[in-house]
């Protein structure tokens, strides 16, 4: 197991907490900056992936967004897309100051909402060496979520609007569950989502979130549009049975000039499972070795 060190850096004057995973070699190495998706934190599957990347020869830097996990920031559990982009930029800048990191070989890795963030952030930073977008949020929400009845959708919409209005008036967030079983008031209400979370070991994760960010994700946030601007290699690790149909996401992947696609016979949440994750990570390691170290795993 690679060495792990708790680190901190500032974003707009607020402390962000991270972990630095070092490879066995003492020479400066390429670095993979990593963060999770909607309401996630840097423990659980993210930590496991970071360990795997470090074992493969990379420095890995994980971090919690402000307001989540071990990072400072108030209010808690509120997703602010533009603020999270700033967190990414601060993490990248911090990584480039580390003596064990080759500053010209910094890659980004994000999953789900974080998988959309890495595309948007890399589009504004052509010095990023490579990008891995795992089951990324690309093109907005599906018009219909399988298993969610209209009455449940209306409950979620009411909670979203109540939280959005609370934010506009400077009041505390109106929280709901991030993950729940079918029928529960939750951002992701499915047995697959609930089962995935139950199997993860993540003491810093809280199953509550302010749903106001869903409005931004529905109305204007389309990080997939950045794909055509990316000059660096980009790996899209996609689930064949993801929440968004492949006919909507495939054009985004094809728009990336140096995009590569790996698709897996699973749903959005199974990509984190013990049955699927090792294959996904092996492909990601091969991609990163090819583009950051100049050779493939044999």
């Amino acid at each position: 197991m690679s060495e792990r060190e708790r680190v901190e850096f500032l974003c707009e004057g607020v402390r962000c907490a991270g972990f630095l995973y070092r490879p066995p070699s003492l020479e400066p190495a390429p670095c993979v900056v990593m963060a999770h998706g909607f309401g996630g934190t840097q423990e659980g599957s993210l930590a496991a992936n970071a360990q795997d990347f470090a074992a493969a020869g990379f420095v890995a830097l994980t971090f919690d967004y402000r307001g989540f996990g071990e990072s400072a920031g108030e209010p808690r559990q509120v997703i602010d897309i533009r603020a999270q982009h700033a967190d990414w930029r601060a993490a990248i800048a911090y990584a480039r100051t580390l003596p064990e990191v080759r500053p010209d070989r910094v890659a980004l890795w994000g999953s789900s909402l974080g998988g959309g963030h890495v595309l948007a952030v890399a589009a504004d930073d052509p010095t990023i060496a490579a990008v891995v977008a795992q089951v990324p949020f690309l093109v907005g929400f599906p018009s219909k979520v399988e298993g969610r009845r209209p009455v449940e959708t209306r409950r979620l919409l009411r909670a979203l609007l109540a939280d959005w209005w609370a934010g506009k008036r400077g009041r505390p967030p109106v929280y709901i569950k991030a993950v729940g079983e079918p029928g529960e008031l939750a951002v992701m209400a499915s047995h697959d989502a609930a089962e995935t979370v139950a199997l993860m070991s993540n003491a810093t994760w809280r199953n509550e979130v302010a749903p106001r960010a869903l409005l931004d994700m529905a109305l204007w946030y389309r990080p997939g549009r950045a794909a055509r601007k990316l000059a660096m290699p980009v790996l899209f690790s996609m689930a064949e049975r993801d929440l968004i149909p492949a006919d909507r996401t495939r054009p985004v992947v094809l728009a990336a000039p140096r995009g590569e696609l790996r698709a897996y016979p699973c749903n959005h949440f199974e990509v984190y499972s013990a049955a699927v994750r090792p294959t996904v990570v092996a492909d990601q390691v091969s991609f990163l070795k090819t583009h950051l170290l100049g050779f493939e795993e044999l």
Side-chain angles (χ1 to χ4, degrees), residues 89-147:
R89 291 191 291 269
I92 294 164
Y94 171 72
R96 286 176 169 152
T97 70
L98 298 172
E100 55 265 79
V101 169
R102 292 183 56 182
D104 62 334
R105 289 289 186 270
V106 173
L108 308 185
W109 184 101
S111 191
S112 196
L113 181 58
H117 287 346
V118 293
L119 302 179
V121 171
D124 292 329
D125 186 351
T127 65
I128 295 298
V131 174
V132 177
Q134 178 174 281
V135 290
F137 174 83
L138 296 174
V139 295
F141 291 117
S143 57
K144 182 179 179 180
V145 177
E146 183 178 355

Short mmCIF file of all heavy atoms in Angstrom, two decimals, residues 89-147:
data_model
loop_
_atom_site.label_atom_id
_atom_site.label_comp_id
_atom_site.label_asym_id
_atom_site.label_seq_id
_atom_site.Cartn_x
_atom_site.Cartn_y
_atom_site.Cartn_z
N ARG A 89 -9.18 24.15 -9.58
CA ARG A 89 -8.04 24.97 -9.99
C ARG A 89 -7.05 25.15 -8.85
O ARG A 89 -5.83 25.13 -9.06
CB ARG A 89 -8.54 26.32 -10.51
CG ARG A 89 -9.29 26.22 -11.83
CD ARG A 89 -9.54 27.59 -12.44
NE ARG A 89 -10.49 28.37 -11.67
CZ ARG A 89 -11.80 28.38 -11.87
NH1 ARG A 89 -12.34 27.63 -12.83
NH2 ARG A 89 -12.59 29.14 -11.13
N ALA A 90 -7.56 25.31 -7.62
CA ALA A 90 -6.68 25.45 -6.46
C ALA A 90 -5.90 24.15 -6.21
O ALA A 90 -4.71 24.19 -5.88
CB ALA A 90 -7.48 25.85 -5.23
N ALA A 91 -6.57 23.02 -6.37
CA ALA A 91 -5.91 21.73 -6.17
C ALA A 91 -4.81 21.52 -7.22
O ALA A 91 -3.72 21.02 -6.90
CB ALA A 91 -6.92 20.60 -6.22
N ILE A 92 -5.09 21.88 -8.45
CA ILE A 92 -4.10 21.74 -9.52
C ILE A 92 -2.89 22.63 -9.24
O ILE A 92 -1.73 22.19 -9.35
CB ILE A 92 -4.73 22.12 -10.88
CG1 ILE A 92 -5.82 21.10 -11.25
CG2 ILE A 92 -3.66 22.19 -11.97
CD1 ILE A 92 -6.75 21.58 -12.36
N ALA A 93 -3.15 23.87 -8.86
CA ALA A 93 -2.05 24.79 -8.55
C ALA A 93 -1.21 24.26 -7.39
O ALA A 93 0.03 24.34 -7.42
CB ALA A 93 -2.60 26.18 -8.23
N TYR A 94 -1.87 23.72 -6.38
CA TYR A 94 -1.15 23.15 -5.24
C TYR A 94 -0.30 21.97 -5.68
O TYR A 94 0.88 21.85 -5.30
CB TYR A 94 -2.13 22.73 -4.15
CG TYR A 94 -1.49 21.96 -3.03
CD1 TYR A 94 -0.66 22.58 -2.11
CD2 TYR A 94 -1.70 20.58 -2.91
CE1 TYR A 94 -0.05 21.85 -1.09
CE2 TYR A 94 -1.10 19.86 -1.89
CZ TYR A 94 -0.28 20.50 -0.99
OH TYR A 94 0.33 19.78 0.02
N ALA A 95 -0.87 21.06 -6.47
CA ALA A 95 -0.13 19.88 -6.91
C ALA A 95 1.16 20.28 -7.63
O ALA A 95 2.21 19.64 -7.47
CB ALA A 95 -1.00 19.02 -7.81
N ARG A 96 1.08 21.33 -8.41
CA ARG A 96 2.25 21.74 -9.21
C ARG A 96 3.37 22.33 -8.36
O ARG A 96 4.48 22.49 -8.85
CB ARG A 96 1.80 22.72 -10.29
CG ARG A 96 1.03 22.04 -11.42
CD ARG A 96 0.52 23.03 -12.45
NE ARG A 96 0.03 22.31 -13.64
CZ ARG A 96 -0.92 22.75 -14.44
NH1 ARG A 96 -1.52 23.91 -14.21
NH2 ARG A 96 -1.28 22.04 -15.50
N THR A 97 3.08 22.65 -7.11
CA THR A 97 4.14 23.17 -6.22
C THR A 97 4.89 22.07 -5.50
O THR A 97 5.91 22.35 -4.87
CB THR A 97 3.54 24.12 -5.16
OG1 THR A 97 2.75 23.36 -4.22
CG2 THR A 97 2.69 25.21 -5.79
N LEU A 98 4.41 20.83 -5.57
CA LEU A 98 4.98 19.75 -4.77
C LEU A 98 6.26 19.22 -5.42
O LEU A 98 6.30 18.98 -6.63
CB LEU A 98 3.96 18.62 -4.63
CG LEU A 98 2.65 19.00 -3.91
CD1 LEU A 98 1.66 17.86 -3.99
CD2 LEU A 98 2.93 19.37 -2.46
N PRO A 99 7.30 19.01 -4.62
CA PRO A 99 8.57 18.56 -5.19
C PRO A 99 8.50 17.18 -5.82
O PRO A 99 9.29 16.86 -6.71
CB PRO A 99 9.52 18.58 -3.99
CG PRO A 99 8.64 18.51 -2.78
CD PRO A 99 7.39 19.24 -3.17
N GLU A 100 7.56 16.33 -5.37
CA GLU A 100 7.46 14.98 -5.93
C GLU A 100 6.64 14.92 -7.21
O GLU A 100 6.48 13.85 -7.80
CB GLU A 100 6.88 14.02 -4.90
CG GLU A 100 5.54 14.43 -4.31
CD GLU A 100 5.71 15.17 -2.99
OE1 GLU A 100 6.04 16.38 -3.05
OE2 GLU A 100 5.50 14.58 -1.92
N VAL A 101 6.12 16.07 -7.66
CA VAL A 101 5.24 16.11 -8.83
C VAL A 101 5.95 16.77 -10.00
O VAL A 101 6.59 17.82 -9.85
CB VAL A 101 3.95 16.89 -8.50
CG1 VAL A 101 3.14 17.18 -9.77
CG2 VAL A 101 3.11 16.10 -7.51
N ARG A 102 5.82 16.18 -11.17
CA ARG A 102 6.25 16.83 -12.40
C ARG A 102 5.15 17.80 -12.83
O ARG A 102 4.06 17.37 -13.23
CB ARG A 102 6.50 15.79 -13.49
CG ARG A 102 7.68 14.89 -13.25
CD ARG A 102 7.91 13.94 -14.42
NE ARG A 102 8.08 14.65 -15.68
CZ ARG A 102 8.26 14.04 -16.86
NH1 ARG A 102 8.30 12.71 -16.90
NH2 ARG A 102 8.40 14.74 -17.95
N PRO A 103 5.38 19.09 -12.74
CA PRO A 103 4.31 20.06 -12.98
C PRO A 103 3.77 20.07 -14.41
O PRO A 103 2.66 20.53 -14.66
CB PRO A 103 4.95 21.40 -12.62
CG PRO A 103 6.41 21.17 -12.71
CD PRO A 103 6.64 19.74 -12.34
N ASP A 104 4.55 19.53 -15.36
CA ASP A 104 4.09 19.45 -16.74
C ASP A 104 3.35 18.15 -17.03
O ASP A 104 2.96 17.90 -18.18
CB ASP A 104 5.28 19.58 -17.70
CG ASP A 104 6.29 18.45 -17.52
OD1 ASP A 104 6.36 17.87 -16.41
OD2 ASP A 104 7.00 18.13 -18.50
N ARG A 105 3.15 17.34 -16.00
CA ARG A 105 2.48 16.04 -16.18
C ARG A 105 1.37 15.89 -15.14
O ARG A 105 1.32 14.91 -14.41
CB ARG A 105 3.49 14.90 -16.05
CG ARG A 105 4.47 14.78 -17.22
CD ARG A 105 3.76 14.27 -18.46
NE ARG A 105 4.69 14.02 -19.55
CZ ARG A 105 5.04 14.93 -20.46
NH1 ARG A 105 4.54 16.16 -20.37
NH2 ARG A 105 5.88 14.63 -21.42
N VAL A 106 0.47 16.85 -15.10
CA VAL A 106 -0.66 16.80 -14.18
C VAL A 106 -1.91 16.40 -14.96
O VAL A 106 -2.27 17.05 -15.95
CB VAL A 106 -0.88 18.14 -13.46
CG1 VAL A 106 -2.17 18.11 -12.65
CG2 VAL A 106 0.31 18.45 -12.55
N ALA A 107 -2.56 15.34 -14.52
CA ALA A 107 -3.80 14.86 -15.13
C ALA A 107 -4.96 15.05 -14.17
O ALA A 107 -4.76 15.17 -12.95
CB ALA A 107 -3.67 13.38 -15.51
N LEU A 108 -6.17 15.05 -14.70
CA LEU A 108 -7.38 15.18 -13.89
C LEU A 108 -8.20 13.90 -13.99
O LEU A 108 -8.32 13.31 -15.07
CB LEU A 108 -8.22 16.37 -14.35
CG LEU A 108 -7.52 17.72 -14.48
CD1 LEU A 108 -8.54 18.80 -14.84
CD2 LEU A 108 -6.77 18.09 -13.21
N TRP A 109 -8.79 13.51 -12.86
CA TRP A 109 -9.68 12.35 -12.80
C TRP A 109 -10.92 12.76 -12.02
O TRP A 109 -10.82 13.22 -10.87
CB TRP A 109 -8.99 11.18 -12.10
CG TRP A 109 -9.77 9.89 -12.05
CD1 TRP A 109 -9.61 8.79 -12.84
CD2 TRP A 109 -10.84 9.55 -11.14
NE1 TRP A 109 -10.49 7.80 -12.49
CE2 TRP A 109 -11.26 8.24 -11.45
CE3 TRP A 109 -11.47 10.23 -10.10
CZ2 TRP A 109 -12.29 7.61 -10.76
CZ3 TRP A 109 -12.51 9.59 -9.41
CH2 TRP A 109 -12.90 8.29 -9.74
N GLY A 110 -12.08 12.60 -12.64
CA GLY A 110 -13.33 12.91 -11.95
C GLY A 110 -14.39 11.88 -12.29
O GLY A 110 -14.38 11.29 -13.38
N SER A 111 -15.31 11.67 -11.37
CA SER A 111 -16.37 10.70 -11.56
C SER A 111 -17.73 11.36 -11.39
O SER A 111 -17.91 12.24 -10.54
CB SER A 111 -16.23 9.55 -10.56
OG SER A 111 -17.09 8.46 -10.89
N SER A 112 -18.70 10.96 -12.22
CA SER A 112 -20.07 11.45 -12.15
C SER A 112 -20.08 12.97 -12.35
O SER A 112 -19.59 13.46 -13.37
CB SER A 112 -20.73 11.02 -10.84
OG SER A 112 -22.13 11.15 -10.90
N LEU A 113 -20.59 13.75 -11.41
CA LEU A 113 -20.54 15.20 -11.57
C LEU A 113 -19.10 15.67 -11.68
O LEU A 113 -18.79 16.58 -12.46
CB LEU A 113 -21.24 15.89 -10.40
CG LEU A 113 -21.29 17.42 -10.45
CD1 LEU A 113 -21.99 17.92 -11.72
CD2 LEU A 113 -21.98 17.98 -9.20
N GLY A 114 -18.19 15.07 -10.92
CA GLY A 114 -16.78 15.39 -11.03
C GLY A 114 -16.22 15.07 -12.41
O GLY A 114 -15.28 15.72 -12.88
N GLY A 115 -16.79 14.07 -13.07
CA GLY A 115 -16.37 13.73 -14.43
C GLY A 115 -16.74 14.81 -15.42
O GLY A 115 -16.07 14.98 -16.45
N GLY A 116 -17.81 15.55 -15.14
CA GLY A 116 -18.13 16.72 -15.94
C GLY A 116 -17.21 17.88 -15.61
O GLY A 116 -16.74 18.60 -16.50
N HIS A 117 -16.94 18.06 -14.31
CA HIS A 117 -16.08 19.16 -13.89
C HIS A 117 -14.70 19.10 -14.55
O HIS A 117 -14.15 20.14 -14.94
CB HIS A 117 -15.88 19.12 -12.37
CG HIS A 117 -17.08 19.54 -11.57
ND1 HIS A 117 -18.17 20.19 -12.11
CD2 HIS A 117 -17.35 19.41 -10.24
CE1 HIS A 117 -19.04 20.44 -11.16
NE2 HIS A 117 -18.57 19.98 -10.01
N VAL A 118 -14.11 17.89 -14.66
CA VAL A 118 -12.75 17.83 -15.21
C VAL A 118 -12.72 18.28 -16.66
O VAL A 118 -11.71 18.84 -17.12
CB VAL A 118 -12.14 16.42 -15.04
CG1 VAL A 118 -11.91 16.12 -13.57
CG2 VAL A 118 -12.98 15.34 -15.69
N LEU A 119 -13.79 18.05 -17.41
CA LEU A 119 -13.84 18.53 -18.79
C LEU A 119 -13.90 20.04 -18.83
O LEU A 119 -13.17 20.69 -19.60
CB LEU A 119 -15.05 17.94 -19.51
CG LEU A 119 -15.15 16.42 -19.57
CD1 LEU A 119 -16.42 16.01 -20.30
CD2 LEU A 119 -13.93 15.81 -20.25
N ALA A 120 -14.76 20.62 -18.00
CA ALA A 120 -14.91 22.07 -17.98
C ALA A 120 -13.63 22.76 -17.52
O ALA A 120 -13.22 23.78 -18.09
CB ALA A 120 -16.08 22.46 -17.07
N VAL A 121 -12.97 22.22 -16.50
CA VAL A 121 -11.75 22.82 -15.97
C VAL A 121 -10.60 22.68 -16.96
O VAL A 121 -9.85 23.63 -17.21
CB VAL A 121 -11.39 22.20 -14.61
CG1 VAL A 121 -10.02 22.66 -14.14
CG2 VAL A 121 -12.45 22.56 -13.57
N ALA A 122 -10.46 21.51 -17.56
CA ALA A 122 -9.37 21.29 -18.52
C ALA A 122 -9.53 22.15 -19.77
O ALA A 122 -8.54 22.54 -20.39
CB ALA A 122 -9.31 19.82 -18.91
N ALA A 123 -10.77 22.48 -20.13
CA ALA A 123 -10.99 23.32 -21.30
C ALA A 123 -10.39 24.71 -21.11
O ALA A 123 -10.06 25.39 -22.10
CB ALA A 123 -12.48 23.43 -21.59
N ASP A 124 -10.26 25.14 -19.86
CA ASP A 124 -9.67 26.45 -19.56
C ASP A 124 -8.20 26.37 -19.18
O ASP A 124 -7.61 27.39 -18.83
CB ASP A 124 -10.46 27.13 -18.43
CG ASP A 124 -11.87 27.52 -18.85
OD1 ASP A 124 -12.06 27.82 -20.05
OD2 ASP A 124 -12.77 27.52 -17.99
N ASP A 125 -7.62 25.16 -19.20
CA ASP A 125 -6.22 24.99 -18.82
C ASP A 125 -5.54 24.03 -19.80
O ASP A 125 -5.49 22.82 -19.56
CB ASP A 125 -6.12 24.46 -17.38
CG ASP A 125 -4.69 24.40 -16.89
OD1 ASP A 125 -3.76 24.60 -17.69
OD2 ASP A 125 -4.49 24.14 -15.68
N PRO A 126 -5.02 24.54 -20.91
CA PRO A 126 -4.41 23.65 -21.91
C PRO A 126 -3.14 22.97 -21.44
O PRO A 126 -2.63 22.08 -22.13
CB PRO A 126 -4.12 24.61 -23.08
CG PRO A 126 -4.03 25.97 -22.46
CD PRO A 126 -4.99 25.95 -21.32
N THR A 127 -2.63 23.33 -20.26
CA THR A 127 -1.43 22.67 -19.74
C THR A 127 -1.74 21.35 -19.04
O THR A 127 -0.81 20.63 -18.67
CB THR A 127 -0.66 23.59 -18.77
OG1 THR A 127 -1.46 23.83 -17.61
CG2 THR A 127 -0.32 24.92 -19.43
N ILE A 128 -3.01 21.04 -18.85
CA ILE A 128 -3.37 19.74 -18.29
C ILE A 128 -2.93 18.66 -19.27
O ILE A 128 -3.20 18.74 -20.47
CB ILE A 128 -4.89 19.65 -18.03
CG1 ILE A 128 -5.31 20.64 -16.94
CG2 ILE A 128 -5.30 18.24 -17.65
CD1 ILE A 128 -4.67 20.40 -15.59
N ALA A 129 -2.25 17.62 -18.75
CA ALA A 129 -1.64 16.62 -19.63
C ALA A 129 -2.61 15.56 -20.11
O ALA A 129 -2.45 15.00 -21.21
CB ALA A 129 -0.47 15.95 -18.91
N ALA A 130 -3.63 15.22 -19.32
CA ALA A 130 -4.60 14.20 -19.69
C ALA A 130 -5.79 14.30 -18.75
O ALA A 130 -5.70 14.87 -17.66
CB ALA A 130 -3.99 12.80 -19.63
N VAL A 131 -6.90 13.72 -19.19
CA VAL A 131 -8.15 13.77 -18.41
C VAL A 131 -8.80 12.39 -18.43
O VAL A 131 -8.86 11.75 -19.48
CB VAL A 131 -9.13 14.81 -18.99
CG1 VAL A 131 -10.47 14.75 -18.26
CG2 VAL A 131 -8.54 16.22 -18.91
N VAL A 132 -9.30 11.96 -17.27
CA VAL A 132 -10.13 10.76 -17.19
C VAL A 132 -11.49 11.19 -16.64
O VAL A 132 -11.58 11.72 -15.52
CB VAL A 132 -9.50 9.69 -16.26
CG1 VAL A 132 -10.44 8.49 -16.15
CG2 VAL A 132 -8.14 9.27 -16.79
N ALA A 133 -12.53 10.95 -17.42
CA ALA A 133 -13.90 11.29 -17.03
C ALA A 133 -14.68 9.99 -16.88
O ALA A 133 -14.99 9.33 -17.87
CB ALA A 133 -14.56 12.19 -18.07
N GLN A 134 -14.97 9.61 -15.64
CA GLN A 134 -15.64 8.33 -15.34
C GLN A 134 -17.13 8.56 -15.14
O GLN A 134 -17.52 9.41 -14.34
CB GLN A 134 -15.00 7.72 -14.09
CG GLN A 134 -15.64 6.41 -13.65
CD GLN A 134 -14.90 5.77 -12.51
OE1 GLN A 134 -13.86 5.15 -12.69
NE2 GLN A 134 -15.44 5.91 -11.30
N VAL A 135 -17.94 7.78 -15.85
CA VAL A 135 -19.40 7.94 -15.88
C VAL A 135 -19.78 9.43 -15.71
O VAL A 135 -20.52 9.79 -14.80
CB VAL A 135 -20.12 7.05 -14.85
CG1 VAL A 135 -20.02 5.59 -15.26
CG2 VAL A 135 -19.57 7.19 -13.43
N PRO A 136 -19.29 10.29 -16.59
CA PRO A 136 -19.40 11.73 -16.36
C PRO A 136 -20.80 12.28 -16.60
O PRO A 136 -21.55 11.79 -17.46
CB PRO A 136 -18.41 12.32 -17.37
CG PRO A 136 -18.41 11.32 -18.48
CD PRO A 136 -18.53 9.98 -17.82
N PHE A 137 -21.13 13.32 -15.84
CA PHE A 137 -22.30 14.14 -16.11
C PHE A 137 -21.94 15.03 -17.28
O PHE A 137 -21.04 15.86 -17.19
CB PHE A 137 -22.66 14.98 -14.87
CG PHE A 137 -23.78 15.96 -15.10
CD1 PHE A 137 -25.10 15.54 -15.01
CD2 PHE A 137 -23.50 17.28 -15.41
CE1 PHE A 137 -26.14 16.45 -15.23
CE2 PHE A 137 -24.53 18.19 -15.62
CZ PHE A 137 -25.85 17.77 -15.53
N LEU A 138 -22.66 14.89 -18.40
CA LEU A 138 -22.27 15.57 -19.63
C LEU A 138 -23.34 16.50 -20.18
O LEU A 138 -23.04 17.63 -20.58
CB LEU A 138 -21.92 14.54 -20.72
CG LEU A 138 -20.72 13.63 -20.46
CD1 LEU A 138 -20.62 12.60 -21.58
CD2 LEU A 138 -19.45 14.44 -20.36
N VAL A 139 -24.58 16.03 -20.25
CA VAL A 139 -25.58 16.73 -21.06
C VAL A 139 -26.88 17.02 -20.32
O VAL A 139 -27.91 17.25 -20.95
CB VAL A 139 -25.88 15.93 -22.35
CG1 VAL A 139 -24.65 15.88 -23.24
CG2 VAL A 139 -26.37 14.52 -22.02
N GLY A 140 -26.88 17.02 -19.01
CA GLY A 140 -28.11 17.31 -18.28
C GLY A 140 -28.84 16.04 -17.89
O GLY A 140 -28.35 14.93 -18.06
N PHE A 141 -30.04 16.23 -17.37
CA PHE A 141 -30.80 15.11 -16.85
C PHE A 141 -31.64 14.43 -17.92
O PHE A 141 -32.06 15.07 -18.88
CB PHE A 141 -31.76 15.60 -15.75
CG PHE A 141 -31.07 16.06 -14.51
CD1 PHE A 141 -31.16 17.37 -14.10
CD2 PHE A 141 -30.33 15.17 -13.75
CE1 PHE A 141 -30.52 17.80 -12.96
CE2 PHE A 141 -29.69 15.58 -12.61
CZ PHE A 141 -29.78 16.90 -12.21
N PRO A 142 -31.91 13.13 -17.75
CA PRO A 142 -32.86 12.48 -18.63
C PRO A 142 -34.26 13.03 -18.37
O PRO A 142 -34.58 13.49 -17.28
CB PRO A 142 -32.77 11.00 -18.23
CG PRO A 142 -32.29 11.03 -16.81
CD PRO A 142 -31.39 12.23 -16.71
N SER A 143 -35.09 13.01 -19.41
CA SER A 143 -36.44 13.54 -19.25
C SER A 143 -37.28 12.70 -18.31
O SER A 143 -38.21 13.18 -17.67
CB SER A 143 -37.14 13.61 -20.63
OG SER A 143 -37.15 12.32 -21.23
N LYS A 144 -36.91 11.42 -18.16
CA LYS A 144 -37.63 10.53 -17.26
C LYS A 144 -36.63 9.63 -16.55
O LYS A 144 -35.77 9.03 -17.19
CB LYS A 144 -38.64 9.66 -18.03
CG LYS A 144 -39.46 8.73 -17.13
CD LYS A 144 -40.44 7.93 -17.96
CE LYS A 144 -41.25 6.98 -17.09
NZ LYS A 144 -42.21 6.18 -17.88
N VAL A 145 -36.70 9.57 -15.24
CA VAL A 145 -35.82 8.71 -14.46
C VAL A 145 -36.53 7.39 -14.21
O VAL A 145 -37.62 7.37 -13.64
CB VAL A 145 -35.43 9.38 -13.13
CG1 VAL A 145 -34.57 8.42 -12.31
CG2 VAL A 145 -34.70 10.68 -13.38
N GLU A 146 -35.89 6.31 -14.63
CA GLU A 146 -36.51 4.99 -14.48
C GLU A 146 -36.78 4.68 -13.01
O GLU A 146 -35.92 4.85 -12.15
CB GLU A 146 -35.58 3.92 -15.07
CG GLU A 146 -36.18 2.53 -15.03
CD GLU A 146 -35.26 1.50 -15.67
OE1 GLU A 146 -34.21 1.90 -16.21
OE2 GLU A 146 -35.60 0.31 -15.61
N GLY A 147 -37.99 4.26 -12.72
CA GLY A 147 -38.35 3.87 -11.37
C GLY A 147 -38.90 5.00 -10.51
O GLY A 147 -39.42 4.74 -9.43
#
